[in-house]
Amino acid sequence: MPRPARKTAVVGKDGSAQILSGARVVLVIRAIALGGAYLVAVLLARFMGAEEFGRWSFVMGATSLLSVMAALGLPLAVVRFVSEEPAATSGAALRRRLRAAPVLIGLAGILLSCIGTVLLVSKGGMMAGASIPTLAAVFVIGPLLALASWYGGLALAYGAMTRAFAHEALRPVLLLLIVGACWRAGCSRSSDTAFAAVAASLLVILLLQSAWSGRWTGGGLARPDTLRRWLPVSFPLLGIGLCATFIAQMGILVTGWMLGPAEAGPYAAANRLAVLLTIPLGVVNSAAAPRFAAYLARRQFRGLQAMLAS
C-alpha cells in the first residue's frame, strides 16, 4: 500500500504561506528599526537638548522628503519590472536597467540636494550659519537615502526580505555607534555631529547594499537613458510615495518652520510613537508586493483575487 503523500509547506494559489513567512521577517526587522529609531530620538534629545534635536529632526524630515523625490519612484517600480522578466537573473537588458537606475537616482539626488541646501541656508533657514563640513554632511544625506531605498526595493523585487529591510534596522544602530564614538572623542554634542554620523552610517549601509546587489545587476553602472521604459510607470508611484512621506513629515516640517527648532524637538519625539500604528499595514504590503506584481505581470487575476481575499 503506497504511503500517503506528506503535506508540505508548498503554497497554494493564493500564495498566503509566502506572504506570512515574509511578513514575519519584515515584522521583526521593522520592530527593531522602529525601536532603534525611537531610542535614537530619546538619546539625541537627552544629550543634545530640545533645540538641537528639533533642528536635527527638521533637517532629517526635509531630506527624507527630498530622497523620495530623488528616487523617482524606481524602488517601487522595480518590483513590477523584475516580475515581468521570467529570466530576470540572466536578462542582459534588465541588468543594464538595474545598473542605470542608481546613476539616475544619484544625479537627481545631487540636483535636489543643491536646491534643498540653498533653502536651508537661506536667511531664516534652519541651517543658516552652519559650517561647511556640516553642510556637506547634510548635502549627501538625501542622495544616500534615495540610493539606500533603491537597493532595498531591488532586494524586495527578488524576494530577499532580509536584505530589503536590513538597512532600516542597521541605520539606528550605526548612528548610535558613530555618534557615541564622536562624543567620546570630544566632538560637540550638537546636531552638527549627528548629521555627520547620519551621513557616515548611510555610506556604510550603501556599500553593503551595493555589494549584496551584485548578484542581480552584475556589478558596474550603465547610462540612465536606458530607463525610458520604466519612468512612465515610476512617476505615478513617485507621486504616491511623495504624498505618504509628506503626510508623515508634515507635522515636523510645519512646526519647525513656523515655531522654530525648540518646539519641533518635543513634537518630533512624540511623532515617533505615532509611527508604530502603521506597522501592520506596512508589513503586509511589503511582504505581499512581489506576489502582487507577479500576478499582475502574468495577468493571473483570479490568483490575485484569491490572495486579496485571504
Side-chain angles (χ1 to χ4, degrees):
M1 181 176 179
R3 302 171 73 180
R6 186 177 61 177
K7 292 184 179 180
T8 63
V10 176
V11 187
K13 292 182 179 180
D14 59 354
S16 57
Q18 285 102 328
I19 295 173
L20 291 176
S21 176
R24 285 193 291 267
V25 174
V26 177
L27 179 61
V28 172
I29 297 176
R30 281 279 171 89
I32 295 173
L34 289 175
Y38 189 74
L39 181 61
V40 166
V42 170
L43 292 177
L44 291 184
R46 169 69 177 82
F47 289 103
M48 293 195 310
E51 184 169 353
E52 285 295 315
F53 177 69
R55 181 170 173 247
W56 180 80
S57 300
F58 178 88
V59 173
M60 289 304 300
T63 53
S64 297
L65 197 61
L66 291 177
S67 71
V68 174
M69 298 171 63
L72 303 174
L74 291 172
L76 298 173
V78 69
V79 178
R80 168 185 168 177
F81 289 113
V82 167
S83 299
E84 289 180 348
E85 294 278 348
T89 55
S90 60
L94 179 64
R95 282 174 176 264
R96 196 160 49 247
R97 293 189 181 101
L98 294 179
R99 293 195 299 268
V103 177
L104 183 60
I105 291 172
L107 292 174
I110 292 172
L111 176 61
L112 290 170
S113 284
C114 291
I115 299 172
T117 303
V118 169
L119 293 176
L120 288 172
V121 301
S122 61
K123 185 177 180 180
M126 195 67 67
M127 298 295 295
S131 64
I132 298 298
T134 299
L135 291 177
V138 172
F139 180 85
V140 301
I141 287 174
L144 291 178
L145 280 173
L147 289 169
S149 175
W150 157 254
Y151 284 115
L154 178 60
L156 179 63
Y158 283 98
M161 293 295 176
T162 302
R163 295 183 181 184
F165 298 98
H167 67 98
E168 297 182 7
L170 281 174
R171 194 187 310 163
V173 175
L174 290 174
L175 175 58
L176 287 177
L177 290 175
I178 295 172
V179 78
C182 291
W183 286 347
R184 286 177 63 87
C187 298
S188 63
R189 294 186 176 182
S190 65
S191 57
D192 295 346
T193 304
F195 290 135
V198 171
S201 62
L202 286 172
L203 184 59
V204 172
I205 289 172
L206 189 59
L207 291 174
L208 291 174
Q209 287 180 313
S210 60
W212 291 343
S213 66
R215 58 179 297 191
W216 302 311
T217 64
L221 300 173
R223 295 175 54 179
D225 57 0
T226 59
L227 294 170
R228 288 191 297 267
R229 178 172 169 262
W230 285 17
L231 294 179
V233 176
S234 69
F235 282 151
L237 297 174
L238 166 63
I240 296 172
L242 193 59
C243 290
T245 305
F246 182 75
I247 292 172
Q249 303 294 339
M250 180 175 60
I252 297 174
L253 295 177
V254 172
T255 303
W257 190 267
M258 301 296 294
L259 302 179
E263 296 296 330
Y267 179 89
N271 188 58
R272 300 286 181 181
L273 291 175
V275 178
L276 298 176
L277 299 176
T278 66
I279 290 181
L281 180 61
V283 165
V284 174
N285 285 341
S286 299
R291 196 76 180 180
F292 285 148
Y295 277 131
L296 288 173
R298 298 165 189 164
R299 305 187 67 83
Q300 296 176 353
F301 299 117
R302 289 187 178 180
L304 180 61
Q305 290 174 345
M307 185 178 66
L308 293 173
S310 64

